[in-house]
Amino acid sequence: MTSPVPLVIDTDPGIDDALAILLALASPEVDLRLVTTVHGNVELAQTTDNALRVLHLGGRSDVPVAPGAAESLIHPQPERAGHVHGTAGLGGVTLPPSPVAADPRPAVVALAELLSTSPVPVTVAAIGPLTNLALLLRTYPAAAARIGRLVVMGGSAARGGNVTAAAEFNVWADPEAAHAVLTSALPTVMVGLDVTLPTVLGEEDIARFAAAGPVGAQAAAILQQYLAHARTAYGTGGVVVHDALALTEAIVPGTLTTVRRNVVVDTTLGAGRGQTLVDRRTVSSAATAVEVAEGVHPDAAVEFLVSRLSGLDALVGRSS
Ligand code: RIB
Ligand code: CA
């Protein structure tokens, strides 16, 4: 087996962020070296505490958590997503507190240090607003250029929005940051609503990892509010764990079918703010183009997630 790929997760936990972090911990293909937190679903202090608690749940409170931006670059995010993720961000579930504190370094410093010293390319999974990544590009461009793969959960090529008719939440939360990242020439995969919305975790899937042990049971408990929201908002009996699909692509490159497209973000203050304008007329050869995920095998992606999460208790048991 090849050596695990160093991984950083930039995140705003967040119910699906929590599942994504646990998925990374359950996957031997990657070595989670750093978590950086960002404002988004809830306030930065809460996303940071949530990240610490989720890592502790997964038996990995050794992974440093470095807090990043508390607000978007230019215009404040109009509202948080407590109505979806719960006011504390984890579906109303209170996980045991982590025994460790957040890393004293700001997110961009911790990320730049890791990127600058890693002997092998680092994969970065960005599953919240892209404020930290935009700041990295502007503050430490040489370090940013050392990113091996950037997998972004965000945007939409042809599925409209989820927080507005036009915009997906992560891009909408900081459109200026998203535009800077998606036009930066970093080796980026955009995992948007086109592939996340068809990938639905059903109640029977959740029951499988809930039965695996205490860690799986807590992960399933965190999902319950998402499930209730999905039933009322979409009338579906399942949940879309957007961030977990992005981490699946980060863990197993090629899980999703991508096409190289030019992408820009609407940063106006009108009804289209936060829309990702994906040019699907051509396959782009531009250096600033993005690999846009346009194809997914939902059943295989769900099975990968469920089987990995079902194995987490055994891993935690081994590491404790
Ligand atoms: O649109 C889905 C994204 O918004 C996910 O990252 C979810 O955590 C929310 O932040
Ligand atoms: Ca998120």
Side-chain angles (χ1 to χ4, degrees):
M1 177 175 171
T2 55
S3 300
V5 175
L7 173 69
V8 176
I9 300 178
D10 186 69
T11 179
D12 64 332
I15 291 173
D16 56 330
D17 303 71
L19 272 287
I21 293 168
L22 292 173
L23 173 61
L25 297 182
S27 299
E29 298 89 343
V30 293
D31 173 15
L32 184 56
R33 301 282 304 282
L34 172 66
V35 170
T36 52
T37 52
V38 66
H39 69 94
N41 287 318
V42 291
E43 299 297 333
L44 176 68
Q46 190 69 65
T47 62
T48 302
D49 185 54
N50 289 343
L52 287 164
R53 290 175 186 250
V54 170
L55 286 167
H56 180 48
L57 172 68
R60 293 297 312 277
S61 49
D62 60 295
V63 177
V65 176
E71 267 304 339
S72 42
L73 292 183
I74 311 292
H75 300 284
Q77 179 181 326
E79 63 180 3
R80 300 299 181 196
H83 59 293
V84 176
H85 293 266
T87 49
L90 292 181
V93 172
T94 301
L95 296 177
S98 169
V100 303
D103 193 293
R105 298 168 297 170
V108 289
V109 172
L111 188 46
E113 286 180 1
L114 176 62
L115 291 168
S116 303
T117 56
S118 176
V120 297
V122 177
T123 293
V124 178
I127 55 175
L130 290 165
T131 316
N132 289 341
L133 273 297
L135 291 170
L136 179 77
L137 282 165
R138 295 293 183 268
T139 315
Y140 297 100
R146 291 173 57 86
I147 291 175
R149 282 186 92 216
L150 174 62
V151 181
V152 168
M153 191 281 129
S156 165
R159 287 296 296 262
N162 56 358
V163 66
T164 71
E168 176 280 325
F169 180 88
N170 287 335
V171 176
W172 171 86
D174 194 342
E176 287 80 6
H179 182 77
V181 172
L182 294 173
T183 58
S184 67
L186 286 180
T188 304
V189 178
M190 187 183 106
V191 180
L193 300 180
D194 314 274
V195 292
T196 64
L197 288 178
T199 309
V200 179
L201 204 56
E203 294 186 63
E204 66 288 349
D205 301 312
I206 298 170
R208 280 175 53 196
F209 56 81
V215 179
Q218 286 278 41
I222 289 169
L223 277 173
Q224 292 313 304
Q225 171 151 342
Y226 231 33
L227 204 51
H229 176 74
R231 280 196 203 98
T232 52
Y234 309 122
T236 60
V239 288
V240 175
V241 279
H242 307 273
D243 295 338
L245 186 62
L247 258 294
T248 300
E249 174 60 32
I251 294 161
V252 184
T255 296
L256 303 171
T257 304
T258 65
V259 182
R260 198 161 181 77
R261 307 287 195 189
N262 294 325
V263 181
V264 295
V265 177
D266 183 337
T267 56
T268 63
L269 297 176
R273 179 166 173 80
Q275 181 175 10
T276 46
L277 300 165
V278 177
D279 188 345
R280 293 187 294 144
R281 294 172 298 171
T282 59
V283 176
S284 174
S285 58
T288 53
V290 170
E291 291 294 338
V292 176
E294 297 186 1
V296 62
H297 298 288
D299 294 347
V302 166
E303 182 54 35
F304 178 86
L305 174 61
V306 173
S307 60
R308 289 291 168 99
L309 290 180
S310 299
L312 198 55
D313 277 275
L315 279 176
V316 172
R318 193 181 66 208
S319 65
S320 56

